[in-house]
Amino acid sequence: MKNILIASSSSINNGDFLDYLLPELEIHFKNCNTILFIPYARPGGISHEEYTTKVALAFAKINKNVTGVHEFEDAALAIKNAEGIFTGGGSTFVLVSQLYKNNIVRTLSEAVKNGTPYLGTSAGSNICGLSMQTTNDMPIVYPPSFQTLGLIPFNLNPHYLDPDLNSNHMGETRETRIKEFHAYNSVPVLGLREGSWLDVKGDKITLKGNLTARLFTQNNTPVELESGKDLSFIK
Amino acid sequence: MKNILIASSSSINNGDFLDYLLPELEIHFKNCNTILFIPYARPGGISHEEYTTKVALAFAKINKNVTGVHEFEDAALAIKNAEGIFTGGGSTFVLVSQLYKNNIVRTLSEAVKNGTPYLGTSAGSNICGLSMQTTNDMPIVYPPSFQTLGLIPFNLNPHYLDPDLNSNHMGETRETRIKEFHAYNSVPVLGLREGSWLDVKGDKITLKGNLTARLFTQNNTPVELESGKDLSFIK
């Protein structure tokens, strides 16, 4: 049975890395001694080692060990053997490129579908959708495909930001960009604000955190969904 | 001799489409009766016809006719025969995909390098750089390549926005994203604020408009460049 947390952001309000999620993670990873970390998204271009150290410090607060997938010769085997998996944020383009390069897109998807507890934040959440096509990231590397893990039957826009009505800036708002996505694609998109996450248990998807989320579907006006709502209807 | 205007934005401060640039465009396109418009970027997913009509209304103010490249059976021939060319904003991913699909990337690049007056705004400016990898747009379609026209020897970030120092939002700032680009690429990036444009005459590139532009180079602190400055040193 799928057991997944999909978080908009790894921290909120300039708080410490993962701090706001730790009570949730203690429950989510309760049967895991060691978390396998996928550091491929490399926020700000930091190394896999640096990123893994940062994550290990956060998980130490709930007495979990962390190993980076880059430490294993066989990444696919490491994923198959993992007690729990966390993919952190950074560049979705770099992350997806590395998942394909290491040939673990399918292995990762199957492991999580078969029940390995998974946590994604930001880019690590983006890849839970059908494609990475609603990421906010810059296309700094060219991935072999935009298709991602398909753990949920829709796409995500993490760090969702409402339009700033006082702005004179002429660049597109997030809502405009998602509307453009729907000019070419029919996949629903959930705008997940910072501090919100999805709790996936089997086929049930529940919105968590204090805020509403914004659901965009093709040819429809977007709607706000309340925290606690069962989102299994989105497909 | 190259004769190119590369503008950050098609309008500023909610003004009418192209209005702030019209005095400049009157000079730039002085020898053209008709402008060939490339509407492929389809802002908000509008049709090629709608977009071309909007552009024709703006150019009518300086007594220029406009035809859309989509009206021609042979897009490459239309570009070769054009008196002047304008590529408008919208989605850079959609624009680049369509340029490749219609097999006119090389034809367009050669025509402009050979002296056909060109105007780009936003996505139409992004494609003047070496690659589209510093666009702000969402990857709503998958282009066959990120390589673009290479009319200038660096990349652009149009609609450049300074970090909001009062924000608690944890999504990456524009500067962070460009820094990430430089973790994987050595191409310089010019952040071009709304209301700024580049005037390219042969190999000379001049920054125009009232604002400074922000130059990002790999492993260096970004620098602000004054309007009027000769940017030919960037490569």
Side-chain angles (χ1 to χ4, degrees), chain A residues 26-38:
Chain A
E26 215 162 354
I27 302 164
H28 187 62
F29 288 124
K30 66 177 183 294
N31 296 324
C32 311
N33 289 312
T34 301
I35 312 294
L36 182 72
F37 177 56
I38 301 180

Side-chain angles (χ1 to χ4, degrees), chain B:
Chain B
M1 190 183 86
K2 282 188 284 194
N3 185 15
I4 314 175
L5 291 187
I6 301 174
S8 175
S9 182
S10 58
S11 57
I12 53 173
N13 297 325
N14 296 308
D16 276 355
F17 190 74
L18 292 181
D19 253 18
Y20 80 103
L21 273 176
L22 286 178
E24 201 72 22
L25 297 183
E26 214 162 355
I27 302 164
H28 187 63
F29 289 124
K30 66 177 185 294
N31 296 325
C32 311
N33 290 312
T34 301
I35 312 294
L36 182 71
F37 177 56
I38 301 180
Y40 293 159
R42 300 179 57 198
I46 63 170
S47 70
H48 294 152
E49 291 73 17
E50 282 174 282
Y51 199 10
T52 304
T53 301
K54 181 178 176 174
V55 169
L57 282 169
F59 273 99
K61 297 177 186 172
I62 54 168
N63 301 309
K64 306 289 178 193
N65 298 314
V66 169
T67 53
V69 73
H70 63 287
E71 298 165 31
F72 294 84
E73 211 158 295
D74 186 337
L77 191 64
I79 286 166
K80 280 180 193 160
N81 291 336
E83 297 174 70
I85 299 171
F86 170 38
T87 307
S91 165
T92 309
F93 287 87
V94 176
L95 169 58
V96 170
S97 297
Q98 284 297 308
L99 291 175
Y100 277 104
K101 190 178 170 191
N102 289 288
N103 202 20
I104 54 174
V105 174
R106 192 165 173 175
T107 309
L108 180 57
S109 175
E110 282 175 0
V112 181
K113 283 176 181 165
N114 288 332
T116 307
Y118 178 90
L119 166 69
T121 60
S122 194
S125 293
N126 253 322
I127 61 170
C128 295
L130 294 170
S131 82
M132 56 167 285
Q133 288 176 269
T134 48
T135 176
N136 310 311
D137 294 339
M138 230 176 221
I140 58 176
V141 299
Y142 185 71
S145 168
F146 285 162
Q147 299 308 301
T148 48
L149 303 177
L151 303 175
I152 53 174
F154 52 89
N155 269 11
L156 292 164
N157 180 253
H159 303 283
Y160 181 74
L161 262 186
D162 293 292
D164 177 357
L165 299 175
N166 295 316
S167 172
N168 276 335
H169 188 71
M170 304 302 290
E172 289 86 347
T173 65
R174 200 64 65 77
E175 182 153 335
T176 302
R177 296 191 188 291
I178 296 172
K179 194 181 158 199
E180 280 183 347
F181 172 77
H182 279 143
Y184 307 94
N185 306 275
S186 61
V187 172
V189 180
L190 188 69
L192 207 56
R193 295 184 176 87
E194 293 184 350
S196 294
W197 67 94
L198 301 182
D199 184 351
V200 184
K201 295 280 180 290
D203 290 331
K204 188 165 181 193
I205 305 171
T206 311
L207 177 62
K208 296 288 185 88
N210 294 324
L211 303 173
T212 58
R214 194 161 180 85
L215 177 63
F216 301 84
T217 50
Q218 200 178 31
N219 302 323
N220 295 307
T221 306
V223 292
E224 289 291 322
L225 305 175
E226 298 295 321
S227 180
K229 190 167 174 67
D230 180 351
L231 306 185
S232 317
F233 70 94
I234 308 174
K235 53 190 66 163

